[in-house]
Amino acid sequence: SLYLFGGKRGVASGHEGLGLHYTSDLWMFHQGLWTRLSGGDVHPTGREGSCMVFIRDDTLLVFGGQHVGEEKLSDTWQFDISSQTWRQLGLGGPQPDPRAGHSCAALKGHLVVWGGKTTGPTRGGDVDDCWAFDTETEEWNQVNQGEDRPSARYAHGAAAVGDDTMFLYGGLLKHRSDELWKFSFMNATDGTWERIERQATWPPAMSHTSLVSTPSELFFFGGMNEHQDYTNDFWRFDLSARSWTNLTTACGPVDDDGDCTHTPLTPTLRYGHVTAMAGSRVYVAGGMNGLGYREDVWSWASASWERVWSSQYKPTERFDHRAVVVGNDMYIFGGVALRSTYSLVVNDLWKLDMDRGVWTQLERYDLYPMKPAVRPENRQSHGFINVKDKMYVVYGNVLYEDFTGQCPPQPDCPPNKKDVWQYDLENNQWLQLSPQGDLPQGRSKHTATTVQGNIFMYGGISYVQGYYNEMLDELWELRVDSCAWNRRRTLQPRPHARMDHASTSWADVLFVLGGCKQYIERDFWKCQKEDLLNDLWAYSLSRETWTLVPIITASLPEPRHDHSLVTRGNSLILYGGRSYDTDGNSVHFDDAWELDVTPSLCLYITSRAVCQSVWPAESWEDLLRDIQCPNHKSSLSNFNIALLVFNALLLVALILVIAFLIRPAWMRRMRDSSWLSTRRNSGYMFIHKNDDHDP
């Protein structure tokens, strides 16, 4: 478990905060879950710059820090993990001066404190004194360190190795330091320092960093360098060889502006964070940089970083986003995120591990040392699909409407995009595509669907001169391998132009269901009940034709828009959506419907070759099966009725052929002659053809 105490809390980047203040809350992070420990009514005051150590498996000790007005503190507190209670210690006898930015370590049953910045009565500014708190007697003693010791400083890093040794690195003096010191703790009153000799490979001077250790190594991450820049430097010190190794994750390829075109996964630049060691893993949590206060947790092992995600961490509430499923993970992108007093169109990408129920945010700006060179703009009402383990964002709207039909005052209105973005799951990287051929006009509220490895975009609405002004019925194909747009032939009959519909694919067929149709005589981007559709259309790639799917049932889904449609096996599944009541208020659906794509329906909408490749041979015996929706009795469709008539005519023809083959002898004697019939007035005249002349 990782324990986190106090600190200065502010507005985390991308989230609403409660304002800047000092906190005294104590949190435990265990198996992906943060838990706030109660602590009771008696607890330390809010602070930053304190130190905390484990003395025993169930006891934490906290000392010093500063709170409002940078007032320094010198109080000592013990937290009992089993009872979750605080108790103040060391109220009598000599005590260290109030301080912050100091270091501490648990050595031989003592809390050992060194250095820091103080405003105590005996001295001001930085200090170089050492104190030891005996956890048995609950008394403080000042430790004699000798003359050869580190100069006064604060904001350095320190870590215990074993039960009697502490290492100290860096810190802020009149300048930032790159010194590494070893402190040997003898008893409550004595200890000695040794300065580690500098080698050719050595980390830069650093302050506001933190140091952790194993029995054989030291690690430090981040901090502020001598140029006062935030860093994500990561170094390892081998205690036996007394040598440093730079583990800092290097930037990827650099573009013309000197920015990384792809940044490997690593914690962002920061200082004032905390680190901890658990087994062979280094953990980094919190801190601050130019983007705000950090709330992330990272772990390092086996030469790579990994973001440690809390099961409580999830996307903000939103609507009009899009989702796809890849393997056991669901990804969502964009949409309109809801804040307490406003809404904002976003461009964040999230992954939900559906086995563990844990969200992960991908390609977030403030998780990386440098911003990704490319990424889609914020958007809603876009297309989002998966093709061959790559995800695509297709067109969409970059502004959030105020439901008046007019976009807010923006210099770049109209906001409909006509771009296509590809996200590589393996490399965690966005790439903007440059499709060839004629480009479809900008649009939103369309659908984008994968059919046989290519992307099909249908319908939507264009946005010109600040108003939605054209409903679209175009069908476009983006050929993924050649990255080229191709407008598909859409002869009559074809679907009505529409927006906010749903689409899915099955075999070589694109299905389009429902949505909101065009009404020219008014502002038609805003749907009314009479504008809504519940028709189902099928576009066959092999036939290049649209077909209105005939479905006759006792009950049909109500007309709707903003619903979802997916394929499951040989069925289409419809869920949800919304309509309107007589007063124009939204009515939301929570119903689910299933349509079985039977062999007979398959033949009706696409080619026999496609159907035979989907349905096994034994399924063709079921050609006359009814098309049903769940929990509703269905009747024969027009197509099935036509099929019955056709089969009856075939049977009559077969009977006539058989009758001809077994005709009587008197008919067989006329086999050398042929008969024609011609209409003459109201009767017929039969003409016999002789062998001597033509009729």
Side-chain angles (χ1 to χ4, degrees):
S1 300
L2 171 68
Y3 290 84
L4 182 71
F5 170 76
K8 186 191 297 184
R9 187 169 70 182
V11 179
S13 178
H15 293 266
E16 293 179 81
L18 301 175
L20 181 64
H21 66 281
Y22 298 97
T23 180
S24 62
D25 49 1
L26 178 63
W27 292 80
M28 177 182 70
F29 187 74
H30 180 69
Q31 294 183 347
L33 184 67
W34 281 106
T35 303
R36 183 171 181 172
L37 306 181
S38 62
D41 296 331
V42 178
H43 54 78
T45 185
R47 66 191 66 199
E48 68 167 338
S50 59
C51 67
M52 180 172 69
V53 298
F54 269 108
I55 290 294
R56 294 178 293 275
D57 288 343
D58 61 347
T59 304
L60 297 168
L61 288 183
V62 172
F63 172 75
Q66 67 180 19
H67 63 160
V68 180
E70 298 189 0
E71 180 182 353
K72 306 301 186 290
L73 303 169
S74 62
D75 47 350
T76 307
W77 290 83
Q78 172 186 287
F79 183 80
D80 186 285
I81 295 174
S82 58
S83 65
Q84 292 196 30
T85 55
W86 285 103
R87 182 168 71 93
Q88 189 171 359
L89 307 176
L91 297 176
Q95 295 186 21
D97 291 334
R99 66 190 66 200
H102 48 285
S103 59
C104 61
L107 302 174
K108 293 184 177 180
H110 291 75
L111 170 65
V112 177
V113 173
W114 187 88
K117 189 177 186 67
T118 184
T119 56
T122 58
R123 60 173 70 101
D126 307 340
V127 294
D128 62 354
D129 55 349
C130 183
W131 291 77
F133 180 78
D134 191 322
T135 56
E136 297 294 332
T137 65
E138 297 187 3
E139 294 178 344
W140 282 101
N141 291 287
Q142 187 166 5
V143 178
N144 178 22
Q145 311 172 73
E147 296 298 326
D148 188 13
R149 58 184 178 184
S151 54
R153 68 192 66 194
Y154 74 100
H156 49 281
V161 177
D163 195 42
D164 60 358
T165 304
M166 177 177 71
F167 283 85
L168 181 152
Y169 173 74
L172 188 60
L173 299 74
K174 293 180 180 179
H175 58 275
R176 285 170 174 80
S177 172
D178 65 354
E179 298 171 351
L180 178 64
W181 290 81
K182 175 184 177 182
F183 179 69
S184 299
F185 181 70
M186 301 176 185
N187 51 52
T189 58
D190 295 290
T192 59
W193 285 97
E194 175 193 359
R195 181 172 179 175
I196 306 299
E197 184 178 353
R198 183 185 176 94
Q199 305 294 326
T201 301
W202 201 262
M206 199 75 64
S207 69
H208 299 88
T209 188
S210 56
L211 199 68
V212 292
S213 65
T214 69
S216 60
E217 297 172 312
L218 302 175
F219 295 88
F220 88 81
F221 174 83
M224 186 176 290
N225 63 23
E226 56 189 341
H227 304 293
Q228 300 189 31
D229 295 328
Y230 316 124
T231 73
N232 68 334
D233 287 13
F234 185 41
W235 289 75
R236 176 176 59 199
F237 183 76
D238 187 309
L239 292 173
S240 59
R242 293 201 167 190
S243 62
W244 285 101
T245 301
N246 188 359
L247 304 176
T248 307
T249 304
C251 175
V254 176
D255 61 19
D256 294 339
D257 297 325
D259 293 331
C260 287
T261 57
H262 174 56
T263 305
L265 194 65
T266 181
T268 186
L269 319 175
R270 67 189 66 203
Y271 76 101
H273 50 285
V274 293
T275 56
M277 200 82 199
S280 60
R281 286 190 173 273
V282 178
Y283 287 85
V284 174
M288 181 183 180
N289 60 22
L291 296 171
Y293 289 85
R294 309 298 333 123
E295 59 183 359
D296 48 347
V297 179
W298 293 78
S299 72
W300 180 91
S302 303
S304 64
W305 286 101
E306 178 184 359
R307 175 101 188 243
V308 183
W309 294 95
S310 167
S311 58
Q312 299 143 307
Y313 196 73
K314 59 185 180 182
T316 55
E317 299 171 344
R318 66 190 61 204
F319 68 92
D320 214 2
H321 52 291
R322 298 294 183 266
V324 298
V325 173
V326 182
N328 291 325
D329 299 320
M330 181 179 76
Y331 296 81
I332 69 169
F333 175 79
V336 182
L338 306 180
R339 302 291 192 257
S340 59
T341 58
Y342 64 96
S343 298
L344 179 68
V345 179
V346 295
N347 65 342
D348 48 352
L349 176 63
W350 291 80
K351 179 182 79 172
L352 173 64
D353 184 322
M354 292 188 287
D355 292 329
R356 298 187 298 139
V358 176
W359 284 101
T360 303
Q361 187 173 0
L362 306 175
E363 273 292 354
R364 181 174 166 181
Y365 175 91
D366 50 5
L367 298 187
Y368 301 90
M370 297 181 183
K371 66 179 180 181
V374 291
R375 62 183 297 114
E377 291 182 64
N378 302 359
R379 69 189 61 204
Q380 63 178 123
S381 302
H382 49 285
F384 187 44
I385 58 275
N386 172 56
V387 183
K388 300 176 183 178
D389 292 331
K390 289 184 172 60
M391 298 185 298
Y392 294 82
V393 171
V394 183
Y395 284 43
N397 191 319
V398 299
L399 291 181
Y400 173 62
E401 272 66 48
D402 57 4
F403 295 101
T404 64
Q406 188 170 9
C407 63
Q410 295 285 343
D412 59 348
C413 183
N416 274 347
K417 302 300 293 183
K418 52 191 304 183
D419 53 355
V420 179
W421 292 80
Q422 179 193 84
Y423 186 80
D424 189 321
L425 291 168
E426 182 179 354
N427 297 318
N428 192 44
Q429 184 178 8
W430 285 106
L431 172 67
Q432 184 173 6
L433 303 182
S434 300
Q436 305 300 310
D438 294 333
L439 299 182
Q441 66 189 93
R443 68 190 64 199
S444 61
K445 302 179 180 291
H446 55 285
T447 56
T449 311
T450 304
V451 188
Q452 294 191 336
N454 290 322
I455 299 170
F456 283 77
M457 180 173 68
Y458 175 74
I461 196 164
S462 64
Y463 205 180
V464 178
Q465 297 178 354
Y467 291 88
Y468 286 113
N469 78 328
E470 184 182 2
M471 202 81 71
L472 304 171
D473 66 351
E474 303 167 351
L475 178 62
W476 288 82
E477 176 187 14
L478 178 62
R479 295 169 180 168
V480 173
D481 292 339
S482 60
C483 192
W485 281 110
N486 170 48
R487 184 169 180 176
R488 278 280 181 161
R489 185 177 63 179
T490 54
L491 301 177
Q492 295 288 355
R494 63 171 181 251
H496 203 297
R498 63 191 66 201
M499 68 177 187
D500 289 336
H501 48 285
S503 66
T504 189
S505 65
W506 179 87
D508 82 329
V509 179
L510 169 70
F511 287 98
V512 172
L513 173 65
C516 182
K517 66 182 178 180
Q518 177 175 347
Y519 257 41
I520 300 176
E521 60 266 26
R522 67 166 181 264
D523 292 335
F524 46 80
W525 82 270
K526 186 175 182 180
C527 292
Q528 298 294 325
K529 188 176 180 66
E530 59 268 26
D531 298 344
L532 300 180
L533 303 165
N534 65 345
D535 52 346
L536 177 64
W537 287 82
Y539 181 82
S540 170
L541 271 65
S542 56
R543 289 183 175 175
E544 293 191 317
T545 56
W546 282 106
T547 302
L548 176 61
V549 180
I551 303 173
I552 304 175
T553 64
S555 181
L556 287 172
E558 291 186 45
R560 63 189 68 198
H561 68 140
D562 290 331
H563 48 286
S564 64
L565 183 69
V566 297
T567 306
R568 181 179 182 269
N570 289 317
S571 294
L572 308 183
I573 309 294
L574 161 68
Y575 177 76
R578 62 174 175 152
S579 179
Y580 304 91
D581 60 21
T582 55
D583 296 326
N585 301 314
S586 291
V587 177
H588 296 85
F589 296 108
D590 63 355
D591 53 347
W593 295 76
E594 179 181 7
L595 176 66
D596 190 1
V597 185
T598 62
S600 56
L601 178 58
C602 181
L603 276 177
Y604 187 68
I605 60 180
T606 188
S607 67
R608 176 175 289 274
V610 171
C611 295
Q612 288 177 333
S613 68
V614 174
W615 294 92
E618 57 270 19
S619 297
W620 293 97
E621 299 174 2
D622 201 21
L623 278 176
L624 301 182
R625 184 172 57 175
D626 293 347
I627 303 171
Q628 298 182 10
C629 287
N631 302 321
H632 292 289
K633 185 176 180 180
S634 66
S635 59
L636 288 175
S637 70
N638 291 338
F639 170 69
N640 284 334
I641 294 172
L643 197 61
L644 282 173
V645 174
F646 177 71
N647 287 338
L649 292 174
L650 284 178
L651 181 59
V652 171
L654 180 61
I655 293 172
L656 292 174
V657 170
I658 294 173
F660 175 76
L661 293 176
I662 63 173
R663 63 194 183 278
W666 67 270
M667 294 182 65
R668 290 197 295 269
R669 283 195 298 269
M670 297 190 305
R671 63 182 179 273
D672 294 332
S673 302
S674 61
W675 291 91
L676 297 178
S677 68
T678 178
R679 184 104 182 219
R680 181 176 180 183
N681 297 326
S682 61
Y684 288 88
M685 179 178 64
F686 293 89
I687 304 174
H688 181 257
K689 174 181 178 290
N690 294 320
D691 295 334
D692 300 330
H693 61 275
D694 293 333

